[in-house]
Amino acid sequence: MYASIKSFASSFFVTGDPLIYGADVSIVLTSIAVLFVLFYFKKWGWLWREWLTTVDHKKIGIMYLFASLLMLFRGGVDALLMRTQLALPNVQFLQADHYNAVFTTHGTIMILFMAMPMMFGLFNMVVPLQIGARDVAYPFLNSVSFWLFFFGAMLFNLSFVIGGSPDAGWLSYPPLSEMSGSPGVGENFYIWGIQISGIGSLATGINFIVTILKMRAPGMKFMKMPMFTWSVFSSSIIIIFAFPILTVTLALLFIDRYMGGHLFTMDGGGFPMMYINLIWMWGHPEVYIVVLPAFGIFSEIVATFSRKRIFGYKSMVFALLSISILSFFTWVHHFFTMGSGADVNVAFAIATMAIGIPTGAKVFNWLFTMFRGRIRLEQPMMWTLAFIPCFVVGGATGVMLAVAPADYQYHNSYFLIAHFHQVLIGGVVFGYLAGIYYWWPKLFGFKLNERLGKYAFWLWNIGFYVCFMPQYALGFMGMTRRVYTYGWDMGWGPLNLVSTIGAFLMGIGFVFQVWQILYSVKYGERDTTGDPWNARTLEWSIPSPPPMYNFAVVPVVDERDSFWEDKERRDFAPAPPVPVSKLESIHMPKNSGVPIIFAACWFIAGFGFVFDWKWMAFSGLAGVGISLLVRSFTYDTDYYVPLEEVIETEKAAGRAV
Amino acid sequence: MSQHPAGAADHGHGHHDEHENHGSLKAYVIGFILSIVLTVIPLLVVFQTNMSKNGIIITIVTMAVIQLLVQLLFFMHIREGEGPKYNVMTLILGLFIVVVIVASSVWIMSFNSVVQ
């Protein structure tokens, strides 16, 4: 008995590496601390009622935000582990197999469990407020999406201590990811973690398309929508067309692994390159999914902090929508070296270069918005200004990579690594950080501390260039990606050391940001006006943090930036309070515990499939079915906020007389 | 999306007067049976007949396309709704992207058979 438990545990838990034992200990200690706090302060009821079952888009957005910051920490630690290993030649810090696992989880977590949820967090925190709605179109589905993401991410992260991490690269190329190359459970964790959170992503895309189409304030025609809303709309279009491809591709890989299929194997008529073709058909649009909302954020911030209307609104909209269509025509540039022939490569090289045109148009529009504007250098604007040169260099190296014959030289070298980090950090991360600094006071009612923010800003920016500029050179010197060590004779040592220093500077920048958040909770400048930046769009017309129903009176919009025009008309005097007679009871969705249970059942099913424990997989799936049935027969899903409560809330905020 | 629109916050107008009709039970049952039949036919063709490989592929693709139309007509309510024809626009875009995906995958992968 003891012997069988011991042999099970030694294969079930990951053993043998001090780093992983350290992680085990910290996971157990953190869990005990969290449980202790919840029991000691009797916070279970509060947690369940206010957060776990909420369908309020603002709270869901906040949960997305904190989950993604947690994932940024995990992905960042992975990055620092890799940089430590590569700092000098012949370092014995990580072994080859551990290094493989670390670069795999770094990539997957940063894209799917950091960038995507941070983006969905911003969608949720901002879009309904910006279009004058009281919630998203499907609040229940919104909660389902969040919990699917959350449990998908947990399942994926569990692989670090249980069963073993995936180690076939962030896109799990077969035949390496097939049973022949990866017989362990790591790839199963990869497939199920991404599948479960992927359903949630698809649902969020649908949710925001419908929200933007159907829930805009009266009078807000398409061409009067704020730029961020437009960018969410284009990003959601890409999501609903791209994510099904990912789901199908991973399902096919699962058939290969679980049922002995031969779709992508080397033998039995399999076609491994087809997987690469399919996965990039999702993978390339995916980078535009994450970057378009960042463009939208920059457009809002540039207009607000230059005190000018955005330059070239129509061309911005046209650029966003054409990028969302063009993004489906460029995927082959990820595998030019597959050798599909000159005609194929040329077609996709031209498509890739073409997508640089609308993107370039947007950069000029931001510059022209700033031209002769009254620029205020506050934190969101600083990140925006840092983004522009960074993204332009990233874009230029992207066009270099798009030249198919030259790509045979750059492919899979550190030049490529430097390029995509430059567009993803310079574009996506800077953009989302700018958005977080910008909308933080709206959601939490206080600004983030300026001084600590500036330290973080400069550490991130200097760290970024110190880290990634040497990597362009290393690429030309022949260093390929995914090597876990190299010899003194290669001559890569000095530049790698510089790069590692830069990575740690960014890590310190992140620590400053965590400190900044904690510090500002107590000492941050409180926002009593609801409009701390003197901004232009509707979300700033309501108190910070907004009441649960957002808008007591639904705003009527008659022009672009209508909140700003209103302010100008009354010469920036405070808005007059609303007479109580204009208020009414408000129709809102009820909280529900079904989404978290539904997603937890998916987690159980996924875990069962990972280890091929059929009893567990099928009981999880049964739970999924029961949750769906319970929801289908729940008719009591909405209620009215009583008029007295609305009046009381509005009076307390000084918004009603 | 069913009888109660998932508690969509509706700008405080309160009642859902313009409730669209979401099809009858009869339509759903017909759609369900047609979907099952259209799924069983390819299975029977593959397991129970000796049709040529091309014949099997053509049968499966035909049944899949009919199935798609059945889903659109009986479950997705493609004929209903007023105002701008969002669903038609979306379908055209979807169809376009499907064609791009399938046709260019064939094109990209065909080089493989040339070199072998």
Side-chain angles (χ1 to χ4, degrees), chain B residues 27-28 30-36 38 63-78:
Chain B
Y28 283 125
I30 293 175
F32 186 58
I33 293 172
L34 276 177
S35 302
I36 293 178
L38 289 167
M63 293 302 138
V65 172
I66 300 175
Q67 169 102 254
L68 176 76
L69 296 175
V70 166
Q71 300 274 335
L72 285 174
L73 287 173
F74 290 95
F75 300 118
M76 308 285 183
H77 308 285
I78 193 69

PDB file of all heavy atoms in Angstrom, chain B residues 27-28 30-36 38 63-78:
ATOM      1  N   ALA B  27     -40.486  23.481 -35.397  1.00  0.00           N
ATOM      2  CA  ALA B  27     -39.301  23.793 -36.203  1.00  0.00           C
ATOM      3  C   ALA B  27     -38.049  23.216 -35.552  1.00  0.00           C
ATOM      4  O   ALA B  27     -37.182  22.657 -36.244  1.00  0.00           O
ATOM      5  CB  ALA B  27     -39.167  25.302 -36.352  1.00  0.00           C
ATOM      6  N   TYR B  28     -37.972  23.328 -34.228  1.00  0.00           N
ATOM      7  CA  TYR B  28     -36.780  22.799 -33.549  1.00  0.00           C
ATOM      8  C   TYR B  28     -36.685  21.286 -33.708  1.00  0.00           C
ATOM      9  O   TYR B  28     -35.609  20.746 -33.968  1.00  0.00           O
ATOM     10  CB  TYR B  28     -36.823  23.159 -32.056  1.00  0.00           C
ATOM     11  CG  TYR B  28     -36.456  24.585 -31.771  1.00  0.00           C
ATOM     12  CD1 TYR B  28     -37.303  25.414 -31.048  1.00  0.00           C
ATOM     13  CD2 TYR B  28     -35.257  25.121 -32.226  1.00  0.00           C
ATOM     14  CE1 TYR B  28     -36.972  26.734 -30.795  1.00  0.00           C
ATOM     15  CE2 TYR B  28     -34.916  26.427 -31.969  1.00  0.00           C
ATOM     16  CZ  TYR B  28     -35.778  27.240 -31.257  1.00  0.00           C
ATOM     17  OH  TYR B  28     -35.445  28.537 -31.008  1.00  0.00           O
ATOM     18  N   ILE B  30     -38.010  19.390 -36.082  1.00  0.00           N
ATOM     19  CA  ILE B  30     -37.664  19.051 -37.474  1.00  0.00           C
ATOM     20  C   ILE B  30     -36.168  19.262 -37.698  1.00  0.00           C
ATOM     21  O   ILE B  30     -35.464  18.404 -38.254  1.00  0.00           O
ATOM     22  CB  ILE B  30     -38.479  19.920 -38.460  1.00  0.00           C
ATOM     23  CG1 ILE B  30     -39.963  19.554 -38.373  1.00  0.00           C
ATOM     24  CG2 ILE B  30     -37.973  19.723 -39.893  1.00  0.00           C
ATOM     25  CD1 ILE B  30     -40.843  20.450 -39.214  1.00  0.00           C
ATOM     26  N   GLY B  31     -35.660  20.390 -37.230  1.00  0.00           N
ATOM     27  CA  GLY B  31     -34.240  20.682 -37.391  1.00  0.00           C
ATOM     28  C   GLY B  31     -33.373  19.639 -36.718  1.00  0.00           C
ATOM     29  O   GLY B  31     -32.368  19.190 -37.271  1.00  0.00           O
ATOM     30  N   PHE B  32     -33.789  19.233 -35.518  1.00  0.00           N
ATOM     31  CA  PHE B  32     -33.030  18.238 -34.763  1.00  0.00           C
ATOM     32  C   PHE B  32     -32.968  16.911 -35.504  1.00  0.00           C
ATOM     33  O   PHE B  32     -31.902  16.311 -35.686  1.00  0.00           O
ATOM     34  CB  PHE B  32     -33.703  18.077 -33.387  1.00  0.00           C
ATOM     35  CG  PHE B  32     -32.947  17.186 -32.447  1.00  0.00           C
ATOM     36  CD1 PHE B  32     -31.630  17.466 -32.107  1.00  0.00           C
ATOM     37  CD2 PHE B  32     -33.565  16.075 -31.888  1.00  0.00           C
ATOM     38  CE1 PHE B  32     -30.941  16.645 -31.237  1.00  0.00           C
ATOM     39  CE2 PHE B  32     -32.876  15.252 -31.017  1.00  0.00           C
ATOM     40  CZ  PHE B  32     -31.569  15.535 -30.699  1.00  0.00           C
ATOM     41  N   ILE B  33     -34.158  16.455 -36.008  1.00  0.00           N
ATOM     42  CA  ILE B  33     -34.196  15.163 -36.705  1.00  0.00           C
ATOM     43  C   ILE B  33     -33.367  15.243 -37.985  1.00  0.00           C
ATOM     44  O   ILE B  33     -32.565  14.345 -38.286  1.00  0.00           O
ATOM     45  CB  ILE B  33     -35.657  14.772 -37.003  1.00  0.00           C
ATOM     46  CG1 ILE B  33     -36.375  14.481 -35.683  1.00  0.00           C
ATOM     47  CG2 ILE B  33     -35.723  13.576 -37.940  1.00  0.00           C
ATOM     48  CD1 ILE B  33     -37.860  14.281 -35.816  1.00  0.00           C
ATOM     49  N   LEU B  34     -33.521  16.352 -38.731  1.00  0.00           N
ATOM     50  CA  LEU B  34     -32.744  16.501 -39.972  1.00  0.00           C
ATOM     51  C   LEU B  34     -31.242  16.455 -39.670  1.00  0.00           C
ATOM     52  O   LEU B  34     -30.472  15.809 -40.382  1.00  0.00           O
ATOM     53  CB  LEU B  34     -33.080  17.837 -40.631  1.00  0.00           C
ATOM     54  CG  LEU B  34     -34.317  17.856 -41.518  1.00  0.00           C
ATOM     55  CD1 LEU B  34     -34.568  19.276 -42.032  1.00  0.00           C
ATOM     56  CD2 LEU B  34     -34.165  16.900 -42.696  1.00  0.00           C
ATOM     57  N   SER B  35     -30.830  17.107 -38.580  1.00  0.00           N
ATOM     58  CA  SER B  35     -29.406  17.108 -38.239  1.00  0.00           C
ATOM     59  C   SER B  35     -28.917  15.694 -37.960  1.00  0.00           C
ATOM     60  O   SER B  35     -27.831  15.300 -38.399  1.00  0.00           O
ATOM     61  CB  SER B  35     -29.151  17.974 -37.004  1.00  0.00           C
ATOM     62  OG  SER B  35     -29.587  19.268 -37.234  1.00  0.00           O
ATOM     63  N   ILE B  36     -29.722  14.932 -37.225  1.00  0.00           N
ATOM     64  CA  ILE B  36     -29.313  13.551 -36.916  1.00  0.00           C
ATOM     65  C   ILE B  36     -29.203  12.733 -38.196  1.00  0.00           C
ATOM     66  O   ILE B  36     -28.195  12.039 -38.426  1.00  0.00           O
ATOM     67  CB  ILE B  36     -30.309  12.904 -35.930  1.00  0.00           C
ATOM     68  CG1 ILE B  36     -30.201  13.607 -34.575  1.00  0.00           C
ATOM     69  CG2 ILE B  36     -30.029  11.415 -35.785  1.00  0.00           C
ATOM     70  CD1 ILE B  36     -31.152  13.097 -33.549  1.00  0.00           C
ATOM     71  N   LEU B  38     -28.713  13.742 -41.229  1.00  0.00           N
ATOM     72  CA  LEU B  38     -27.584  14.188 -42.047  1.00  0.00           C
ATOM     73  C   LEU B  38     -26.246  13.769 -41.447  1.00  0.00           C
ATOM     74  O   LEU B  38     -25.242  13.692 -42.146  1.00  0.00           O
ATOM     75  CB  LEU B  38     -27.623  15.707 -42.207  1.00  0.00           C
ATOM     76  CG  LEU B  38     -28.748  16.222 -43.106  1.00  0.00           C
ATOM     77  CD1 LEU B  38     -28.917  17.718 -42.951  1.00  0.00           C
ATOM     78  CD2 LEU B  38     -28.475  15.872 -44.557  1.00  0.00           C
ATOM     79  N   MET B  63     -23.241  16.508 -47.346  1.00  0.00           N
ATOM     80  CA  MET B  63     -24.051  16.424 -46.125  1.00  0.00           C
ATOM     81  C   MET B  63     -23.674  17.539 -45.157  1.00  0.00           C
ATOM     82  O   MET B  63     -24.532  18.107 -44.476  1.00  0.00           O
ATOM     83  CB  MET B  63     -23.842  15.072 -45.434  1.00  0.00           C
ATOM     84  CG  MET B  63     -24.365  13.889 -46.223  1.00  0.00           C
ATOM     85  SD  MET B  63     -26.113  14.045 -46.582  1.00  0.00           S
ATOM     86  CE  MET B  63     -26.136  13.477 -48.264  1.00  0.00           C
ATOM     87  N   ALA B  64     -22.384  17.883 -45.112  1.00  0.00           N
ATOM     88  CA  ALA B  64     -21.946  18.940 -44.190  1.00  0.00           C
ATOM     89  C   ALA B  64     -22.547  20.279 -44.590  1.00  0.00           C
ATOM     90  O   ALA B  64     -23.021  21.043 -43.738  1.00  0.00           O
ATOM     91  CB  ALA B  64     -20.428  19.023 -44.171  1.00  0.00           C
ATOM     92  N   VAL B  65     -22.570  20.547 -45.903  1.00  0.00           N
ATOM     93  CA  VAL B  65     -23.109  21.835 -46.345  1.00  0.00           C
ATOM     94  C   VAL B  65     -24.614  21.895 -46.057  1.00  0.00           C
ATOM     95  O   VAL B  65     -25.133  22.907 -45.569  1.00  0.00           O
ATOM     96  CB  VAL B  65     -22.807  22.051 -47.843  1.00  0.00           C
ATOM     97  CG1 VAL B  65     -23.536  23.282 -48.359  1.00  0.00           C
ATOM     98  CG2 VAL B  65     -21.309  22.211 -48.049  1.00  0.00           C
ATOM     99  N   ILE B  66     -25.336  20.779 -46.341  1.00  0.00           N
ATOM    100  CA  ILE B  66     -26.777  20.777 -46.059  1.00  0.00           C
ATOM    101  C   ILE B  66     -26.999  20.978 -44.558  1.00  0.00           C
ATOM    102  O   ILE B  66     -27.852  21.742 -44.130  1.00  0.00           O
ATOM    103  CB  ILE B  66     -27.430  19.469 -46.541  1.00  0.00           C
ATOM    104  CG1 ILE B  66     -27.235  19.320 -48.053  1.00  0.00           C
ATOM    105  CG2 ILE B  66     -28.914  19.469 -46.225  1.00  0.00           C
ATOM    106  CD1 ILE B  66     -27.738  18.004 -48.610  1.00  0.00           C
ATOM    107  N   GLN B  67     -26.180  20.297 -43.768  1.00  0.00           N
ATOM    108  CA  GLN B  67     -26.291  20.423 -42.314  1.00  0.00           C
ATOM    109  C   GLN B  67     -26.109  21.884 -41.864  1.00  0.00           C
ATOM    110  O   GLN B  67     -26.847  22.387 -41.022  1.00  0.00           O
ATOM    111  CB  GLN B  67     -25.215  19.553 -41.668  1.00  0.00           C
ATOM    112  CG  GLN B  67     -25.014  19.752 -40.212  1.00  0.00           C
ATOM    113  CD  GLN B  67     -25.675  18.662 -39.385  1.00  0.00           C
ATOM    114  OE1 GLN B  67     -26.682  18.897 -38.777  1.00  0.00           O
ATOM    115  NE2 GLN B  67     -25.123  17.474 -39.367  1.00  0.00           N
ATOM    116  N   LEU B  68     -25.148  22.555 -42.492  1.00  0.00           N
ATOM    117  CA  LEU B  68     -24.899  23.965 -42.178  1.00  0.00           C
ATOM    118  C   LEU B  68     -26.155  24.784 -42.434  1.00  0.00           C
ATOM    119  O   LEU B  68     -26.577  25.601 -41.611  1.00  0.00           O
ATOM    120  CB  LEU B  68     -23.739  24.471 -43.034  1.00  0.00           C
ATOM    121  CG  LEU B  68     -23.380  25.946 -42.919  1.00  0.00           C
ATOM    122  CD1 LEU B  68     -22.634  26.184 -41.634  1.00  0.00           C
ATOM    123  CD2 LEU B  68     -22.544  26.400 -44.098  1.00  0.00           C
ATOM    124  N   LEU B  69     -26.797  24.525 -43.614  1.00  0.00           N
ATOM    125  CA  LEU B  69     -28.008  25.285 -43.943  1.00  0.00           C
ATOM    126  C   LEU B  69     -29.119  24.973 -42.950  1.00  0.00           C
ATOM    127  O   LEU B  69     -29.844  25.874 -42.517  1.00  0.00           O
ATOM    128  CB  LEU B  69     -28.446  24.957 -45.379  1.00  0.00           C
ATOM    129  CG  LEU B  69     -27.444  25.379 -46.458  1.00  0.00           C
ATOM    130  CD1 LEU B  69     -27.893  24.909 -47.836  1.00  0.00           C
ATOM    131  CD2 LEU B  69     -27.284  26.894 -46.453  1.00  0.00           C
ATOM    132  N   VAL B  70     -29.247  23.699 -42.577  1.00  0.00           N
ATOM    133  CA  VAL B  70     -30.282  23.313 -41.616  1.00  0.00           C
ATOM    134  C   VAL B  70     -30.077  24.082 -40.308  1.00  0.00           C
ATOM    135  O   VAL B  70     -31.015  24.648 -39.735  1.00  0.00           O
ATOM    136  CB  VAL B  70     -30.253  21.787 -41.374  1.00  0.00           C
ATOM    137  CG1 VAL B  70     -31.081  21.412 -40.150  1.00  0.00           C
ATOM    138  CG2 VAL B  70     -30.773  21.055 -42.593  1.00  0.00           C
ATOM    139  N   GLN B  71     -28.825  24.120 -39.846  1.00  0.00           N
ATOM    140  CA  GLN B  71     -28.543  24.826 -38.591  1.00  0.00           C
ATOM    141  C   GLN B  71     -28.921  26.303 -38.706  1.00  0.00           C
ATOM    142  O   GLN B  71     -29.535  26.864 -37.819  1.00  0.00           O
ATOM    143  CB  GLN B  71     -27.051  24.719 -38.253  1.00  0.00           C
ATOM    144  CG  GLN B  71     -26.542  23.319 -38.082  1.00  0.00           C
ATOM    145  CD  GLN B  71     -26.729  22.806 -36.673  1.00  0.00           C
ATOM    146  OE1 GLN B  71     -26.796  23.582 -35.729  1.00  0.00           O
ATOM    147  NE2 GLN B  71     -26.849  21.498 -36.521  1.00  0.00           N
ATOM    148  N   LEU B  72     -28.547  26.905 -39.837  1.00  0.00           N
ATOM    149  CA  LEU B  72     -28.829  28.327 -40.005  1.00  0.00           C
ATOM    150  C   LEU B  72     -30.327  28.595 -40.023  1.00  0.00           C
ATOM    151  O   LEU B  72     -30.816  29.545 -39.424  1.00  0.00           O
ATOM    152  CB  LEU B  72     -28.203  28.834 -41.306  1.00  0.00           C
ATOM    153  CG  LEU B  72     -26.694  29.039 -41.283  1.00  0.00           C
ATOM    154  CD1 LEU B  72     -26.196  29.400 -42.670  1.00  0.00           C
ATOM    155  CD2 LEU B  72     -26.317  30.130 -40.301  1.00  0.00           C
ATOM    156  N   LEU B  73     -31.086  27.728 -40.724  1.00  0.00           N
ATOM    157  CA  LEU B  73     -32.515  27.979 -40.885  1.00  0.00           C
ATOM    158  C   LEU B  73     -33.289  27.649 -39.617  1.00  0.00           C
ATOM    159  O   LEU B  73     -34.149  28.411 -39.202  1.00  0.00           O
ATOM    160  CB  LEU B  73     -33.066  27.148 -42.050  1.00  0.00           C
ATOM    161  CG  LEU B  73     -32.652  27.646 -43.434  1.00  0.00           C
ATOM    162  CD1 LEU B  73     -33.109  26.665 -44.497  1.00  0.00           C
ATOM    163  CD2 LEU B  73     -33.272  29.013 -43.695  1.00  0.00           C
ATOM    164  N   PHE B  74     -32.996  26.501 -38.996  1.00  0.00           N
ATOM    165  CA  PHE B  74     -33.857  26.035 -37.910  1.00  0.00           C
ATOM    166  C   PHE B  74     -33.399  26.501 -36.538  1.00  0.00           C
ATOM    167  O   PHE B  74     -34.203  26.638 -35.636  1.00  0.00           O
ATOM    168  CB  PHE B  74     -33.955  24.509 -37.926  1.00  0.00           C
ATOM    169  CG  PHE B  74     -34.749  23.990 -39.092  1.00  0.00           C
ATOM    170  CD1 PHE B  74     -34.102  23.601 -40.249  1.00  0.00           C
ATOM    171  CD2 PHE B  74     -36.138  23.904 -39.034  1.00  0.00           C
ATOM    172  CE1 PHE B  74     -34.824  23.132 -41.327  1.00  0.00           C
ATOM    173  CE2 PHE B  74     -36.863  23.439 -40.122  1.00  0.00           C
ATOM    174  CZ  PHE B  74     -36.200  23.050 -41.272  1.00  0.00           C
ATOM    175  N   PHE B  75     -32.092  26.716 -36.364  1.00  0.00           N
ATOM    176  CA  PHE B  75     -31.620  27.074 -35.026  1.00  0.00           C
ATOM    177  C   PHE B  75     -31.105  28.507 -34.937  1.00  0.00           C
ATOM    178  O   PHE B  75     -31.218  29.144 -33.912  1.00  0.00           O
ATOM    179  CB  PHE B  75     -30.523  26.113 -34.574  1.00  0.00           C
ATOM    180  CG  PHE B  75     -30.971  24.689 -34.515  1.00  0.00           C
ATOM    181  CD1 PHE B  75     -30.386  23.722 -35.303  1.00  0.00           C
ATOM    182  CD2 PHE B  75     -32.013  24.334 -33.669  1.00  0.00           C
ATOM    183  CE1 PHE B  75     -30.820  22.405 -35.246  1.00  0.00           C
ATOM    184  CE2 PHE B  75     -32.444  23.019 -33.615  1.00  0.00           C
ATOM    185  CZ  PHE B  75     -31.854  22.053 -34.403  1.00  0.00           C
ATOM    186  N   MET B  76     -30.508  29.008 -36.001  1.00  0.00           N
ATOM    187  CA  MET B  76     -29.911  30.339 -35.936  1.00  0.00           C
ATOM    188  C   MET B  76     -30.879  31.435 -36.386  1.00  0.00           C
ATOM    189  O   MET B  76     -30.523  32.609 -36.362  1.00  0.00           O
ATOM    190  CB  MET B  76     -28.648  30.397 -36.809  1.00  0.00           C
ATOM    191  CG  MET B  76     -27.672  29.307 -36.537  1.00  0.00           C
ATOM    192  SD  MET B  76     -26.792  29.593 -35.020  1.00  0.00           S
ATOM    193  CE  MET B  76     -25.685  28.212 -35.012  1.00  0.00           C
ATOM    194  N   HIS B  77     -32.052  31.066 -36.877  1.00  0.00           N
ATOM    195  CA  HIS B  77     -33.090  32.041 -37.240  1.00  0.00           C
ATOM    196  C   HIS B  77     -32.575  33.076 -38.223  1.00  0.00           C
ATOM    197  O   HIS B  77     -32.745  34.276 -38.045  1.00  0.00           O
ATOM    198  CB  HIS B  77     -33.632  32.734 -35.992  1.00  0.00           C
ATOM    199  CG  HIS B  77     -34.060  31.768 -34.948  1.00  0.00           C
ATOM    200  ND1 HIS B  77     -35.229  31.050 -35.050  1.00  0.00           N
ATOM    201  CD2 HIS B  77     -33.474  31.359 -33.810  1.00  0.00           C
ATOM    202  CE1 HIS B  77     -35.341  30.257 -34.003  1.00  0.00           C
ATOM    203  NE2 HIS B  77     -34.273  30.422 -33.233  1.00  0.00           N
ATOM    204  N   ILE B  78     -31.968  32.579 -39.285  1.00  0.00           N
ATOM    205  CA  ILE B  78     -31.339  33.498 -40.222  1.00  0.00           C
ATOM    206  C   ILE B  78     -32.377  34.353 -40.940  1.00  0.00           C
ATOM    207  O   ILE B  78     -32.093  35.447 -41.397  1.00  0.00           O
ATOM    208  CB  ILE B  78     -30.464  32.686 -41.227  1.00  0.00           C
ATOM    209  CG1 ILE B  78     -29.546  33.607 -42.011  1.00  0.00           C
ATOM    210  CG2 ILE B  78     -31.303  31.884 -42.179  1.00  0.00           C
ATOM    211  CD1 ILE B  78     -28.474  34.197 -41.179  1.00  0.00           C
TER     212      ILE B  78
END
